[in-house]
Amino acid sequence: MQKLNSRQQEAVTHEAGPLLIVAGAGTGKTTVLINRLAHLVLDKGLSTEEILLLTFTEKSAGELEARADTLLPYGYVDLWIHTFHGFCERILREHALDIGLAADFKLLSATEQWILIKRNLNRFNLDYYKPLGNPTKFISELLRHFSRLKDEDVSALDYLETAAKNIDEDELEVKRLKELAGAYKTYNELLLENNFLDFGDLIVFTLKLFRTRTNILNVYQKQFKHIMVDEFQDTNWAQYELVKMLALPGNNLTVVGDDDQSIYKFRGASISNIMQFKDDYKNAKELVLIDNYRSRQEILDYSYEFIKHNNPNRLEEKLHIDKQLKSGANFETKETSAVRYLQFNRGEEEVSFVASQISDLYEQKKGEWLDFAILVRANDTADAYVKELTRLGIPNQFVSLKGLYFKEIILDCLAYLRLLDNYHESSALFRVLNMPNFKVSHLDIITINKFAKHKVWSLFEGLKNISAIPNVSEKGRVSIDKLLELLDKHSKLVADSEPSKIFLRFAYDSGLVASYDFDRDQEIFSYLNQFYQKIKKFEDTLPASRLSDFMQLMDLELEAGEVGALRLDFSDNDTVKIMTVHAAKGLEFKYVFLVNIVDKKFPTISRSEKIGIPDNLVKEKIVNSKDAHIEEERRLFYVAITRAKEELFITGAKDYGGVREKKPSAFISEMGLDVFEVGADENFSNKLELVRDLERLDQKDPEKSEKLVLPDKFSFSQLAAFSTCPLQYKFAFVLKIPAPTDKASLIFGRVLHNVLHDFLEPLEAISATQDSLFGRPKIKLDEVNLLDLYEARWQADGYNNKEERDKYYQKGKTILKTFWTNLSSEDFPEILFLEKNFTFKIGDGIIKGAIDRVDRLVDGTLEIIDYKTGNPKEKLEYSDKRQLILYKIFLEEFLKIKVSKLSYYYLEGTYKTSFEAKDKDVEKLRQEVLTEITEIKKGNFPPNPTELCKYCDFRDICQWRYK
């Protein structure tokens, strides 16, 4: 066994009874666990089947088993080293029949759970959680809720009984709870009906097995002479209950953990488990491992002073122990400080510094590439660092266990397969036309799109008739002919061939594989291989499947938010690692760069569970703290800073493109660090942009110098799209890629707008011939006329199914009846305009649009009304007001009449939200419009991935989509 210090040796040789090992960062807890296992086998003579070692992840279970193999002699087999879920699956496969389960149950992934609910949504009787416009909106949140219930070992019966008892609550709240309880019951019934279990069920049914079949529990209690739990701070309530049950009666239980590294609350982890362990086992011995073998003492001192801000909710305070880490590692004496906080003026400067600092340290032979790590709080932060390192030729890898479907090469493959499934999928066709194997310039695509739109063709029909389209380059025509030939060839395989065969033919015939070098592009080949394995696994699950079946599955997975499991085949390569702080737990690097450490980014803003568990169903003992979110963020930050061995660079910037200047994170002052401002020279950022622009000029890619044809008029929807994501604007309004327009909610909204326009048009005509109008006109306006118009304007096509169409139809009748009731209860309004089209100038930009309705009020001022068919908003933010403020600017300049009231009229429920635009808001919008138009005219359209990506028409072809 490895040489151990006195505390580690004491932990290894602990004889019996419960033992709490508090293992600080870098103190060798894995070594202690494996040496304890070896001691029990070699010195105490126990069989490997008499020891149970439980851990949190498959990765850590694999590492523990690999370490055990190096210490135990050959011949020791069947080690019980499992994750909690792996252990419970093993038990249930063996004893499923004892509680009425089939032993061949299928374990569902999160995506498969989503699909199960989606396909059986009509069984859930959802009302509160089923908006008509987006019936699957809450599926993911429901599944998170169900998972949390199982973490707390809450049965459907428990939930139903609790919901029934809440009679004193608000009527709507009671209805909500009963709906959730019923949905939970239905979900569990669906699982059992189909012989499915989810991951939460593995724990729940094992607990049920042991509680109801005590004879089986006794077998395992006698078998396991010692139980060890790794990463104990990451266990949830149900897992701890399982451990306590198995440990009886001897309680030879060893748990290892660090409350300061409890960072998985979002997965259901309960820090209260480790905090109350000594309450549950009062005679437990505690050992604190504080000899750190990773970091310089300066790093450990800063981290300790920082984490103490979580007092008193720490074991150190509760148990009166000393957790201050002492460095046992040997480091050369260094002149530079081990920990620094550097603040930059702009985010681009921060990115440039990190990349150049890594390059400089490498050139100085201070470390290999694998000695550097860039840690981010959120995935979307990583993109800028990946691009900058790649630009400088620094080998790098974004370490993630998800994201296969958003790798550029896989998006290309999916786009081609979509084309074979549906030639007229224009966004997919655009992506294929941009693949290196078929490269067609943007100018050619714009030319083809423009001609196709004139002929009312799809983009594919434009390609088929390419000979009739003038001004397309010869190179473009050759690429298009090649693509059309391949599509024709591969389409003949679709009806009779497996999806994997079609994928192989595409990869070979298109030259996709031949265009990459296997030695140089191993990651790309790994991604292609993993996608191929995904297709093969699908075929094994569903024999005789065809391409349309596979594409349907992919669409469902993407709709569910799945981004694709990713196996890191080359994680040990000599590359700079870029990863989230969560992914970095358990790892160590010579040099760590912790970036974007500013207010609101780290710590993040607290986001509570969208569907919380009723308090009387929560079984874990909640650690009493009003600052629970900040404390969790502190623990995560503590994990980040203790990954560094020699130097820790913490960076932030004042400007990340927002309106307000960012301040350093509060964690910086809590660490006791000074803020060192870098790049105070005002020419620094300009020099940086100059260097980049000069480098762009040196690039030979003709796409870089292509002159895009930009719109000469701008609508509010264009400006809103650019403000949301410039790349989305480019797709929609520059390249004019056709987007799907047959969405049910859009069709329904258009119908209602048309009906209301035609119905109210007589009032507009009268207003045009009179200076003012009060009272009722002589024209026949009644409910019958309104509903007759609805029948005449109703559009039955474009809905997903008959049930959806019928619901929308009935909803429309209800809306219009309520609209008439409200309209007829007062004097008819004086309508000045309906669907008023306009153009006007702001600076050098021309704004165009259409206003739904303008009324003249009693005092002679105007009210702008915009109809909405979505969910009403009682409180409007500035971003919600922008559209109507823009209309106000036009009307007041055009008519020279004051607009005093701006209103959104929500047709569902006829709820009207009105506001007055303040002068400062009008001026603010004017300046924003000027800025946005200026930026658009520059022709630069970078991606801006956010959670709004899920609603984007181009999400399936965009590798920068928010994940």
Side-chain angles (χ1 to χ4, degrees):
M1 290 189 284
Q2 299 174 11
K3 186 176 180 181
L4 308 174
N5 65 37
S6 59
R7 283 192 179 90
Q8 291 174 323
Q9 186 64 44
E10 190 177 354
V12 167
T13 57
H14 178 71
E15 288 298 317
L19 173 64
L20 169 63
I21 303 176
V22 183
T27 55
K29 70 173 179 61
T30 304
T31 298
V32 169
L33 276 175
I34 295 305
N35 278 272
R36 178 160 174 73
L37 184 148
H39 168 76
L40 292 171
V41 172
L42 299 176
D43 297 344
K44 305 297 288 185
L46 296 183
S47 157
T48 51
E49 291 190 349
E50 295 179 296
I51 305 166
L52 173 62
L53 204 169
L54 295 170
T55 188
F56 192 57
T57 65
E58 291 287 353
K59 179 183 177 184
S60 58
E63 290 174 351
L64 288 167
E65 191 161 356
R67 293 278 296 274
D69 287 344
T70 65
L71 291 182
L72 297 179
Y74 181 76
Y76 282 91
V77 295
D78 201 21
L79 284 168
W80 282 74
I81 300 180
H82 290 289
T83 64
F84 277 91
H85 292 116
F87 169 75
C88 290
E89 182 175 3
R90 180 171 176 175
I91 296 296
L92 289 178
R93 296 285 183 197
E94 183 69 26
H95 301 286
L97 294 178
D98 293 283
I99 51 170
L101 294 176
D104 62 345
F105 61 80
K106 179 184 177 183
L107 191 59
L108 294 189
S109 67
T111 301
E112 289 169 331
Q113 295 169 46
W114 191 95
I115 293 172
L116 179 69
I117 294 182
K118 169 76 181 290
R119 287 177 170 167
N120 294 276
L121 202 56
N122 60 325
R123 285 186 55 176
F124 281 78
N125 296 318
L126 295 178
D127 179 31
Y128 191 99
Y129 286 109
K130 187 185 179 183
L132 182 59
N134 186 1
T136 62
K137 181 177 180 180
F138 288 98
I139 291 179
S140 295
E141 291 303 329
L142 284 174
L143 283 169
R144 289 189 188 95
H145 184 58
F146 299 159
S147 177
R148 283 287 295 116
L149 289 167
K150 292 181 181 184
D151 289 344
E152 297 287 330
D153 191 26
V154 176
S155 69
L157 181 60
D158 293 337
Y159 205 166
L160 288 166
E161 289 178 349
T162 298
K165 290 177 182 176
N166 280 275
I167 55 175
D168 296 331
E169 295 281 349
D170 175 81
E171 182 179 346
L172 189 59
E173 179 63 10
V174 172
K175 177 183 177 182
R176 184 184 76 88
L177 287 175
K178 287 184 175 180
E179 182 173 302
L180 286 171
Y184 186 45
K185 179 175 181 290
T186 300
Y187 169 68
N188 287 321
E189 289 172 348
L190 273 172
L191 289 172
L192 293 178
E193 286 171 14
N194 292 278
N195 198 26
F196 297 153
L197 295 184
D198 63 24
F199 279 94
D201 284 330
L202 293 175
I203 311 292
V204 168
F205 278 110
T206 303
L207 285 172
K208 181 180 179 181
L209 173 72
F210 287 162
R211 285 168 181 158
T212 59
R213 303 292 184 261
T214 53
N215 55 320
I216 296 174
L217 173 61
N218 290 336
V219 169
Y220 289 103
Q221 286 175 333
K222 290 176 182 178
Q223 175 179 330
F224 299 127
K225 302 295 190 293
H226 287 268
I227 298 174
M228 292 180 277
V229 182
D230 188 22
E231 304 287 7
F232 185 62
Q233 77 278 353
D234 295 329
T235 56
N236 60 42
W237 187 89
Q239 289 166 341
Y240 188 25
E241 284 297 295
L242 181 66
V243 168
K244 288 191 284 190
M245 199 178 293
L246 281 168
L248 290 171
N251 289 330
N252 288 338
L253 172 63
T254 300
V255 299
V256 185
D258 182 6
D259 58 304
D260 290 331
Q261 296 186 72
S262 177
I263 60 173
Y264 290 112
K265 182 175 175 60
F266 68 96
R267 291 183 183 170
S270 171
I271 191 175
S272 63
N273 287 351
I274 194 168
M275 295 296 289
Q276 73 179 51
F277 185 81
K278 283 295 294 282
D279 297 333
D280 296 334
Y281 298 95
K282 298 189 184 301
N283 296 322
K285 183 171 183 178
E286 66 206 28
L287 281 171
V288 186
L289 306 184
I290 59 173
D291 292 326
N292 175 280
Y293 297 96
R294 175 187 297 158
S295 307
R296 285 169 64 181
Q297 188 63 49
E298 189 180 353
I299 295 173
L300 300 179
D301 290 343
Y302 273 115
S303 63
Y304 179 67
E305 291 303 316
F306 168 72
I307 200 61
K308 284 197 298 184
H309 285 82
N310 270 0
N311 288 342
N313 295 315
R314 296 177 60 239
L315 278 177
E316 186 173 46
E317 284 280 295
K318 180 174 180 178
L319 301 182
H320 306 293
I321 57 179
D322 179 11
K323 288 187 63 184
Q324 186 165 10
L325 297 175
K326 305 298 180 185
S327 179
N330 294 318
F331 292 105
E332 296 178 8
T333 303
K334 299 201 175 224
E335 295 180 2
T336 56
S337 174
V339 185
R340 281 156 283 175
Y341 179 75
L342 307 173
Q343 184 185 47
F344 299 85
N345 289 323
R346 297 168 53 205
E348 294 88 345
E349 298 171 23
E350 180 186 10
V351 172
S352 180
F353 166 80
V354 170
S356 61
Q357 185 71 18
I358 290 173
S359 179
D360 289 346
L361 289 168
Y362 179 80
E363 292 296 327
Q364 296 166 21
K365 302 192 181 304
K366 298 290 183 66
E368 303 300 320
W369 293 124
L370 54 77
D371 290 321
F372 299 92
I374 300 172
L375 304 187
V376 298
R377 177 64 182 86
N379 280 321
D380 56 352
T381 306
D383 288 341
Y385 292 91
V386 171
K387 290 175 184 175
E388 184 65 6
L389 293 179
T390 303
R391 188 181 74 85
L392 294 178
I394 297 174
N396 65 88
Q397 182 180 23
F398 178 50
V399 179
S400 173
L401 297 179
K402 288 184 173 292
L404 177 66
Y405 301 160
F406 291 95
K407 297 300 180 184
E408 193 165 351
I409 189 69
I410 302 305
L411 279 168
D412 289 342
C413 295
L414 280 170
Y416 187 83
L417 295 178
R418 278 200 178 89
L419 274 188
L420 293 179
D421 193 42
N422 178 7
Y423 283 163
H424 300 284
E425 180 96 32
S426 294
S427 61
L429 183 52
F430 167 78
R431 173 130 204 141
V432 171
L433 290 171
N434 273 275
M435 290 175 61
N437 311 74
F438 309 109
K439 188 64 176 175
V440 176
S441 73
H442 284 169
L443 289 178
D444 281 345
I445 291 174
I446 292 170
T447 300
I448 296 166
N449 266 327
K450 186 175 180 181
F451 195 90
K453 185 176 181 181
H454 178 71
K455 291 287 188 179
V456 199
W457 291 341
S458 67
L459 178 56
F460 179 77
E461 289 171 319
L463 299 186
K464 291 286 285 185
N465 292 280
I466 192 65
S467 60
I469 302 177
N471 302 321
V472 178
S473 70
E474 184 60 30
K475 182 180 178 182
R477 293 179 190 275
V478 171
S479 295
I480 290 167
D481 287 343
K482 175 185 175 182
L483 174 60
L484 292 175
E485 181 181 343
L486 276 183
L487 286 172
D488 182 62
K489 177 180 179 180
H490 296 154
S491 294
K492 295 172 183 175
L493 301 174
V494 169
D496 302 314
S497 299
E498 298 88 351
S500 59
K501 180 179 179 181
I502 297 171
F503 176 72
L504 283 176
R505 292 309 315 177
F506 160 66
Y508 181 80
D509 295 339
S510 67
L512 178 72
V513 173
S515 62
Y516 293 101
D517 180 89
F518 184 79
D519 293 326
R520 182 194 65 206
D521 302 311
Q522 288 187 4
E523 270 193 72
I524 290 175
F525 278 92
S526 173
Y527 299 150
L528 288 170
N529 185 56
Q530 289 180 58
F531 185 62
Y532 180 60
Q533 290 174 330
K534 162 81 178 177
I535 300 174
K536 295 287 287 183
K537 183 178 179 181
F538 168 75
E539 291 171 353
D540 291 341
T541 306
L542 189 65
S545 58
R546 293 295 175 256
L547 180 63
S548 60
D549 301 312
F550 178 71
M551 295 313 298
Q552 183 182 22
L553 172 72
M554 288 302 306
D555 288 341
L556 282 169
E557 288 198 11
L558 290 167
E559 186 182 353
E562 177 61 61
V563 296
L566 187 60
R567 187 179 65 252
L568 299 175
D569 291 333
F570 307 102
S571 59
D572 294 331
N573 278 6
D574 189 18
T575 57
V576 176
K577 302 301 186 292
I578 305 166
M579 63 181 71
T580 64
V581 179
H582 281 101
K585 188 170 182 290
L587 303 177
E588 56 187 43
F589 303 90
K590 255 189 178 183
Y591 303 97
V592 168
F593 293 80
L594 187 53
V595 300
N596 281 39
I597 308 305
V598 294
D599 186 41
K600 303 294 191 298
K601 287 182 179 285
F602 207 160
T604 60
I605 299 171
S606 176
R607 291 182 175 87
S608 59
E609 291 178 331
K610 291 184 173 65
I611 306 177
I613 301 178
D615 290 342
N616 51 355
L617 285 176
V618 177
K619 297 177 181 177
E620 67 170 294
K621 295 180 181 178
I622 305 296
V623 174
N624 187 24
S625 174
K626 60 182 175 58
D627 296 321
H629 170 71
I630 291 296
E631 290 176 5
E632 171 107 354
E633 288 287 295
R634 275 199 197 99
R635 294 192 293 270
L636 185 61
F637 196 78
Y638 174 82
V639 166
I641 60 184
T642 54
R643 298 311 95 194
K645 297 166 69 175
E646 296 193 17
E647 290 189 50
L648 170 65
F649 297 86
I650 308 176
T651 64
K654 297 176 183 178
D655 180 8
Y656 289 102
V659 177
R660 296 181 180 178
E661 185 175 284
K662 291 289 186 182
K663 297 179 181 179
S665 166
F667 289 171
I668 300 306
S669 62
E670 289 183 2
M671 284 184 73
L673 287 173
D674 294 326
V675 175
F676 180 75
E677 293 197 21
V678 182
D681 177 5
E682 62 183 9
N683 294 316
F684 179 81
S685 60
N686 293 329
K687 285 188 289 187
L688 181 63
E689 289 184 7
L690 174 63
V691 170
R692 292 188 175 193
D693 288 344
L694 287 173
E695 287 173 349
R696 287 193 186 102
L697 287 176
D698 193 43
Q699 293 174 358
K700 305 302 181 184
D701 185 354
E703 278 293 303
K704 297 292 182 181
S705 59
E706 269 193 356
K707 179 77 173 173
L708 296 176
V709 179
L710 302 176
D712 55 0
K713 295 179 182 178
F714 304 92
S715 66
F716 174 78
S717 59
Q718 284 188 41
L719 297 175
F722 184 83
S723 176
T724 301
C725 176
L727 183 60
Q728 179 194 44
Y729 173 87
K730 179 182 179 180
F731 284 151
F733 300 106
V734 179
L735 300 177
K736 301 185 188 310
I737 301 172
T741 56
D742 59 343
K743 295 177 180 177
S745 58
L746 293 179
I747 296 171
F748 179 67
R750 188 163 55 242
V751 167
L752 287 186
H753 272 71
N754 291 339
V755 170
L756 293 177
H757 172 272
D758 293 353
F759 180 69
L760 296 174
E761 194 171 27
L763 294 179
E764 181 189 28
I766 291 176
S767 297
T769 61
Q770 295 181 206
D771 291 332
S772 63
L773 171 68
F774 302 104
R776 300 179 183 278
K778 295 178 181 179
I779 295 173
K780 180 73 170 178
L781 290 178
D782 57 24
E783 183 179 309
V784 174
N785 183 20
L786 179 60
L787 294 179
D788 285 346
L789 278 171
Y790 182 55
E791 293 289 346
R793 299 288 184 268
W794 173 251
Q795 183 177 334
D797 295 331
Y799 296 94
N800 292 319
N801 50 55
K802 181 179 182 298
E803 180 187 18
E804 182 182 59
R805 182 187 65 202
D806 292 345
K807 284 186 176 180
Y808 267 110
Y809 175 75
Q810 292 301 326
K811 178 182 176 182
K813 291 185 73 170
T814 301
I815 285 174
L816 293 175
K817 287 179 180 179
T818 307
F819 178 86
W820 168 251
T821 299
N822 291 339
L823 183 71
S824 60
S825 64
E826 300 176 356
D827 290 338
F828 286 159
E830 181 182 0
I831 297 178
L832 203 60
F833 298 118
L834 289 170
E835 299 288 342
K836 173 64 177 176
N837 292 306
F838 66 83
T839 58
F840 76 109
K841 289 190 71 175
I842 290 185
D844 294 331
I846 300 176
I847 309 298
K848 65 177 182 177
I851 305 174
D852 287 347
R853 179 174 142 191
V854 180
D855 290 0
R856 194 196 305 272
L857 303 176
V858 175
D859 62 1
T861 62
L862 304 182
E863 177 185 10
I864 298 175
I865 298 174
D866 189 74
Y867 296 125
K868 297 290 184 186
T869 53
N871 294 324
K873 290 187 175 181
E874 295 185 18
K875 182 179 179 181
L876 300 175
E877 303 295 335
Y878 167 75
S879 58
D880 302 313
K881 299 177 180 179
R882 278 174 37 116
Q883 180 180 1
L884 294 188
I885 295 175
L886 185 65
Y887 295 169
K888 170 187 168 76
I889 294 173
F890 158 69
L891 275 178
E892 290 190 339
E893 291 187 4
F894 173 63
L895 294 178
K896 309 299 181 185
I897 300 176
K898 179 177 175 58
V899 176
S900 63
K901 194 174 184 181
L902 304 171
S903 302
Y904 286 115
Y905 195 119
Y906 296 95
L907 295 172
E908 188 171 0
T910 60
Y911 181 90
K912 189 161 81 166
T913 301
S914 302
F915 64 95
E916 294 183 18
K918 298 177 182 178
D919 291 342
K920 66 176 183 179
D921 289 337
V922 173
E923 185 55 32
K924 179 181 179 181
L925 178 65
R926 191 185 294 273
Q927 292 304 316
E928 286 177 350
V929 169
L930 286 170
T931 301
E932 286 164 2
I933 291 175
T934 300
E935 290 300 314
I936 290 171
K937 288 184 175 181
K938 288 181 181 178
N940 185 27
F941 305 104
N944 179 35
T946 68
E947 289 189 348
L948 295 176
C949 291
K950 68 180 74 170
Y951 306 111
C952 178
D953 290 322
F954 310 104
R955 60 187 177 275
D956 290 340
I957 64 169
C958 182
Q959 66 261 37
W960 293 282
R961 170 185 170 184
Y962 182 77
K963 304 172 182 58

